[in-house]
Amino acid sequence: MRSSVVRVLGVGCAAAMAFTVAGCGGQDTKNTGASGASSLTFWGWAPGYADAVKAYNASHPDSKVVYQAVQPGAKGGYQKMLNAVKAGNAPCLAQVGYETLPSFAAQGALQDVTKYATADKGDYQEAAWKSVTLGGQVYGAPLDTGPMALFYNKEVFDSLGLKPPTTWAEYRSDALKIHASDPHRYISSPYLDYDYAGLAWQAGADWFGVKGDAWQVTLDSSANNKVADYWQKLADDHLISSAPMYDQAWYTGLGNGDIATVVGAVWQAGVIKGGAKDGSGKWAVAPMPQWKAGEQQVGNAGGSATAVLKGCADPEAAWDFAHWLSTDPTTFGTLVDKAALYPAATKLLGLPQLGGKDPYFGGQNIYGVFADASGHVGTGWTWGPLMTKTSADLDDGLGKAWAGRSTISDALRTTQDLTLTEMEKQGLNTAK
């Protein structure tokens, strides 16, 4: 059954968008445990969530949250959630990435908790709060963010007398010197989907927006082509490694110095440390290079919310848990330790777990760099309503571009066309 058109604001936008969404039938009842406490179910996959739920239950005797681990979103978790909503037996709470929330909204899978959440808005970073706000309605609590910076092999840079680049022009200059020093050395490796999105985000090269009551798709904008042309030139000049990110060849390159930088989010620290152990003591972190000297623009890659799903019978209790999970210092400290999550709540940026010196990064307190970066993440970014398909189409095009069979601009143009076609097919309003 098709529902009537629902008007929803785009993330970070001030105009309404119209979605035609599938109706989600079924009734959800308010469950209670043996003690009479309100009982909520929470689906997620991040390490440390089970311990967090235990801590909440111990400190909130009048509430009970039951945690159930599911596959990560892109590996089946999101489809499981959507299927449960449609069947009318979804959990109240779910871990949902910011990039996926608009897709859930377009399918009628989220429950409005604005009246419970608004008073807590000031507890969160602005960009994170906008990521859970659609159509003026709040659908969950921001949990973590992915402010970006420059991970660089300090040993390689020092050996060539280089300082971490402060601008993208300097970054290119360093790329030439690094490759000239050894034909096996490269400044970086190919970026795909949400890692690439962070590069566009920093440049203000939006992918989606709204016009009146319709979606705009802007991957092929002049701002996006500026970013694409920059990275295309690096690739054309053979300054980018062929090793795919997260492939064993990539980890090997990070460990032996053949890949000298990663432009990535805070959580990449754990990825690099875990996969490139030979690089221990050689790496450091610096602010993200800027398009213009003196600017402080930062992109974001990743981050998720504790979303409230459609049909939740106790949205007030759901918000109470979601907000607590995002703001309780002890609990979030454990999430930093176990899952390398970076808080969306401003008061947690000074957590002790974020202040230590890291031997892998030469004893540097890398979280100080990200704490500063978090305040400069652009707040205007909007994720589209069909990001699973959009990102898959983009990855297909980017893969061809990095391999020299196409261009990054072509990938953006094709992805825009395919996204618009699918949006129209699904009945979503699009700006002409």
Side-chain angles (χ1 to χ4, degrees), residues 58-429:
S59 60
H60 294 72
D62 293 332
S63 299
K64 180 182 179 182
V65 176
V66 177
Y67 177 65
Q68 296 178 356
V70 297
Q71 289 294 313
K75 296 182 179 180
Y78 290 147
Q79 191 58 53
K80 180 181 177 71
M81 294 170 192
L82 292 172
N83 290 343
V85 169
K86 291 177 182 178
N89 58 9
C92 266
L93 297 151
Q95 178 183 356
V96 180
Y98 298 137
E99 79 289 337
T100 303
L101 271 171
S103 300
F104 272 46
Q107 297 180 70
L110 302 176
Q111 184 141 327
D112 179 19
V113 293
T114 306
K115 68 179 180 178
Y116 312 114
T118 300
D120 299 317
K121 176 180 178 180
D123 291 343
Y124 299 95
Q125 298 168 44
E126 183 180 0
W129 186 259
K130 287 188 175 181
S131 293
V132 298
T133 306
L134 304 159
Q137 298 175 334
V138 180
Y139 291 108
L143 183 75
D144 65 306
T145 64
M148 298 174 73
L150 177 72
F151 296 88
Y152 70 101
N153 190 312
K154 191 173 186 297
E155 183 177 79
V156 171
F157 272 70
D158 286 351
S159 71
L160 299 174
L162 302 176
K163 302 291 185 182
T166 61
T167 66
W168 288 115
E170 291 177 2
Y171 186 84
R172 175 176 170 78
S173 176
D174 290 347
L176 291 165
K177 294 172 182 176
I178 288 168
H179 193 56
S181 72
D182 184 329
H184 297 103
R185 281 181 177 173
Y186 301 91
I187 188 71
S188 194
S189 55
Y191 294 93
L192 299 177
D193 49 71
Y194 303 122
D195 293 302
Y196 183 85
L199 302 174
W201 188 322
Q202 182 209 23
D206 298 340
W207 287 2
F208 295 91
V210 292
K211 182 178 181 181
D213 64 352
W215 281 101
Q216 286 183 307
V217 185
T218 54
L219 281 88
D220 191 30
S221 67
S222 59
N224 271 293
N225 281 302
K226 172 186 173 181
V227 178
D229 291 346
Y230 174 85
W231 288 96
Q232 187 67 54
K233 180 64 174 170
L234 288 175
D236 290 346
D237 291 342
H238 307 290
L239 302 176
I240 300 294
S241 169
S242 62
M245 288 183 77
Y246 315 119
D247 185 87
Q248 184 54 51
W250 183 69
Y251 290 116
T252 299
L254 298 180
N256 65 20
D258 284 351
I259 298 174
T261 75
V262 177
V263 186
V266 56
W267 50 264
Q268 287 281 16
V271 173
I272 295 170
K273 289 167 60 176
K277 297 186 185 301
D278 290 345
S280 182
K282 302 175 183 178
W283 283 76
V285 179
M288 198 174 181
Q290 299 294 309
W291 287 101
K292 292 182 181 179
E295 290 185 341
Q296 292 182 297
Q297 301 299 312
V298 176
N300 185 88
S304 63
T306 307
V308 182
L309 298 185
K310 191 71 175 179
C312 179
D314 197 346
E316 183 175 11
W319 172 257
D320 181 77
F321 170 78
H323 179 59
W324 176 89
L325 182 63
S326 296
T327 58
D328 182 75
T330 301
T331 299
F332 206 98
T334 301
L335 292 176
V336 174
D337 289 335
K338 292 194 172 185
L341 299 187
Y342 193 77
T346 54
K347 74 174 185 178
L348 299 188
L349 296 180
L351 282 174
Q353 291 84 351
L354 300 177
K357 296 180 179 180
D358 193 323
Y360 188 96
F361 294 98
Q364 181 185 5
N365 172 19
I366 65 169
Y367 287 115
V369 178
F370 291 105
D372 182 67
S374 67
H376 299 290
V377 173
T379 60
W381 185 266
T382 300
W383 291 111
L386 304 173
M387 285 309 304
T388 299
K389 176 172 174 51
T390 296
S391 63
D393 290 334
L394 180 62
D395 279 359
D396 180 64
L398 287 176
K400 294 175 182 176
W402 292 117
R405 301 195 303 272
S406 183
T407 68
I408 298 175
S409 289
D410 285 341
L412 295 173
R413 185 178 310 110
T414 299
T415 301
Q416 173 166 307
D417 292 343
L418 291 172
T419 297
L420 282 168
T421 297
E422 185 63 24
M423 289 170 74
E424 292 169 359
K425 179 180 177 181
Q426 295 197 21
L428 303 180
N429 287 354

